[in-house]
């Protein structure tokens, strides 16, 4: 396997540390007054999402993870999984709902998602950063009721996700959502 020095590691890289696949979240170079320099690295586990922080001596080498990112179209949902299709090879892959996790609230048919494969096994599904969805249920906004300072109300979008929207947004309206935070962006 290919190795990379800790001085060349950047945020967003996929590496193996202690035999497990991780995504590098942050890396900080520390040079104390005495002793050797080291890197304080924050890792996010690719399969379970757990975040850990480790210190690695500067100049040490880490393995580059055998991770392949592929863009795949969501075809349909099954009882215990979701079927995706590769746009170039037309190969279909079923990913269990346990591997999808919290991303399941952003799944819509006929959209393209980023799928992470670790050693040939799908481990994560990443939705597009911004998605346009139709509101299927929300309370009507009270006209002029902004004196309380509360200008947001709950809404449910077509994928089943619950988001907070401004009071002027009505049912059956299309809105844009940031899937990283689950927040309303615009309509």
């Amino acid at each position: 396997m290919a190795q990379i020095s800790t001085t060349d590691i950047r945020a967003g890289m996929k590496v193996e540390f202690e035999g497990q696949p991780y995504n590098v979240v942050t890396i900080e170079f520390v040079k104390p007054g005495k002793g050797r320099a080291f890197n304080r690295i924050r890792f996010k586990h690719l399969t379970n999402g757990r975040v850990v922080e480790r210190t690695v001596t500067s100049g040490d080498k880490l393995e580059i993870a055998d991770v392949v990112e592929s863009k795949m179209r969501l075809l349909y949902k099954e009882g215990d999984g979701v079927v995706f299709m590769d746009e170039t090879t037309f190969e279909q892959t079923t990913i269990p709902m346990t591997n999808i996790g919290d991303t399941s609230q952003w799944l819509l048919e006929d959209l393209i998602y980023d799928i992470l494969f670790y050693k040939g096994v799908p481990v994560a599904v990443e939705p597009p950063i911004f998605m346009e969805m139709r509101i299927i249920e929300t309370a009507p906004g009270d006209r002029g009721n902004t004196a309380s300072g509360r200008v947001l109300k709950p809404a449910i979008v077509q994928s089943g996700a619950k988001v907070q929207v401004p009071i002027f947004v009505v049912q059956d309206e299309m809105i844009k959502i940031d899937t990283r935070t689950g927040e309303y962006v615009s309509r």
Side-chain angles (χ1 to χ4, degrees):
M1 274 221 163
Q3 292 188 336
I4 189 167
S5 173
T6 55
T7 57
D8 296 329
I9 292 178
R10 303 288 176 253
M13 288 183 156
K14 314 292 192 278
V15 297
E16 281 190 21
F17 186 72
E18 298 172 348
Q20 296 293 316
Y22 288 96
N23 183 20
V24 177
V25 178
T26 60
I27 183 163
E28 177 185 1
F29 178 74
V30 179
K31 180 150 177 41
K34 289 172 98 177
R36 294 182 60 187
F38 62 90
N39 291 309
R40 187 174 295 125
I41 305 174
R42 183 170 293 195
F43 297 106
K44 182 175 182 181
H45 200 278
L46 284 180
T47 56
N48 62 21
R50 191 182 61 185
V51 177
V52 295
E53 188 172 300
R54 299 284 189 256
T55 56
V56 181
T57 306
S58 187
D60 282 356
K61 297 199 180 290
L62 294 175
E63 299 281 333
I64 295 177
D66 182 17
V67 173
V68 176
E69 296 181 37
S70 179
K71 292 199 177 290
M72 300 181 89
R73 183 175 300 275
L74 190 152
L75 294 180
Y76 57 91
K77 297 177 187 177
E78 290 182 329
D80 59 342
V82 181
V83 178
F84 289 89
M85 179 183 70
D86 190 329
E87 289 285 295
T88 57
T89 64
F90 302 108
E91 180 182 329
Q92 294 184 7
T93 304
T94 302
I95 300 176
M97 289 301 276
T98 56
N99 289 13
I100 295 174
D102 292 340
T103 306
S104 63
Q105 67 182 342
W106 306 118
L107 295 180
L108 287 178
E109 292 181 1
D110 205 33
L111 280 180
I112 295 182
Y113 294 83
D114 291 329
I115 312 294
L116 288 174
F117 290 91
Y118 173 65
K119 294 186 178 176
V121 178
V123 293
V125 176
E126 295 179 11
I129 294 173
F130 297 105
M131 293 181 73
E132 290 189 7
M133 294 188 180
R134 181 174 309 284
I135 294 179
I136 59 169
E137 183 181 326
T138 188
D142 295 335
R143 189 173 290 249
N145 187 9
T146 58
S148 66
R150 187 178 143 230
V151 293
L152 296 176
K153 63 181 181 179
I156 298 175
V157 293
Q158 68 193 66
S159 67
K162 295 180 174 112
V163 296
Q164 294 290 320
V165 297
I167 59 171
F168 58 81
V169 175
V170 295
Q171 191 167 324
D172 292 327
E173 195 168 355
M174 293 293 287
I175 62 169
K176 188 181 215 180
I177 301 170
D178 185 345
T179 59
R180 297 170 294 185
T181 60
E183 294 178 353
Y184 165 87
V185 177
S186 66
R187 59 178 173 164

